[in-house]
Amino acid sequence: MRHISINQKITIMRQDNQLLVITHLSQLITLITGFGSLILPLILWLTQKDKVYQMDEHGKNIVNFQLSLIVYCLLCIPLILFFGLGILGFIILGIISVIFPIINAIKASRGENPTYPLSLNFIS
């Protein structure tokens, strides 16, 4: 029989698919406010990663995706001068930034792991 001392911390994680869905959909706040697609999911991830089962994995994927979008947008700026490819890049990034949070929110509601395309691995 194993005894647990009073000083040991016991962490019990709960399954909360609704919060995972909200975290994915929080990336769409930019459509309303013009900013916050990185900040809001980052706050949700940092405050809930030790409390909600799979929040750490989902949060890392979201933050990596948002940071990747920022890098790709910065790369599109000089490409505007190169036959307007940057404008096409901005349009594609805009579509991807709306579609994949919705797809991954649906996956999170089913308990599946999220996948974001072209996501660089900043946080592992």
Side-chain angles (χ1 to χ4, degrees):
M1 187 166 157
R2 188 173 178 205
H3 295 281
I4 298 175
S5 70
I6 296 173
N7 294 333
Q8 287 179 322
K9 181 181 177 184
I10 299 174
T11 304
I12 299 174
M13 300 183 96
R14 69 181 195 280
Q15 180 73 34
D16 193 349
N17 286 351
Q18 289 179 343
L19 186 59
L20 295 174
V21 168
I22 290 169
T23 306
H24 284 283
L25 293 178
S26 69
Q27 299 173 77
L28 302 177
I29 193 74
T30 301
L31 299 174
I32 298 168
T33 63
F35 66 95
S37 62
L38 174 63
I39 298 168
L40 188 55
L42 182 65
I43 292 170
L44 288 170
W45 170 55
L46 290 176
T47 59
Q48 299 298 315
K49 69 180 179 179
D50 296 328
K51 299 174 187 172
V52 177
Y53 178 67
Q54 289 190 330
M55 176 60 87
D56 193 40
E57 180 183 345
H58 285 257
K60 286 178 184 177
N61 285 328
I62 292 168
V63 171
N64 283 332
F65 177 65
Q66 288 299 317
L67 291 173
S68 298
L69 286 177
I70 292 170
V71 169
Y72 294 137
C73 283
L74 290 174
L75 290 174
C76 284
I77 293 170
L79 288 176
I80 291 174
L81 300 174
F82 189 66
F83 303 116
L85 290 177
I87 294 171
L88 180 63
F90 280 128
I91 292 169
I92 292 170
L93 288 174
I95 293 169
I96 288 172
S97 70
V98 171
I99 291 176
F100 280 95
I102 295 170
I103 290 171
N104 286 317
I106 294 168
K107 285 183 177 182
S109 71
R110 296 178 184 159
E112 300 173 19
N113 291 330
T115 54
Y116 286 99
L118 305 171
S119 185
L120 304 173
N121 197 15
F122 294 101
I123 301 170
S124 55

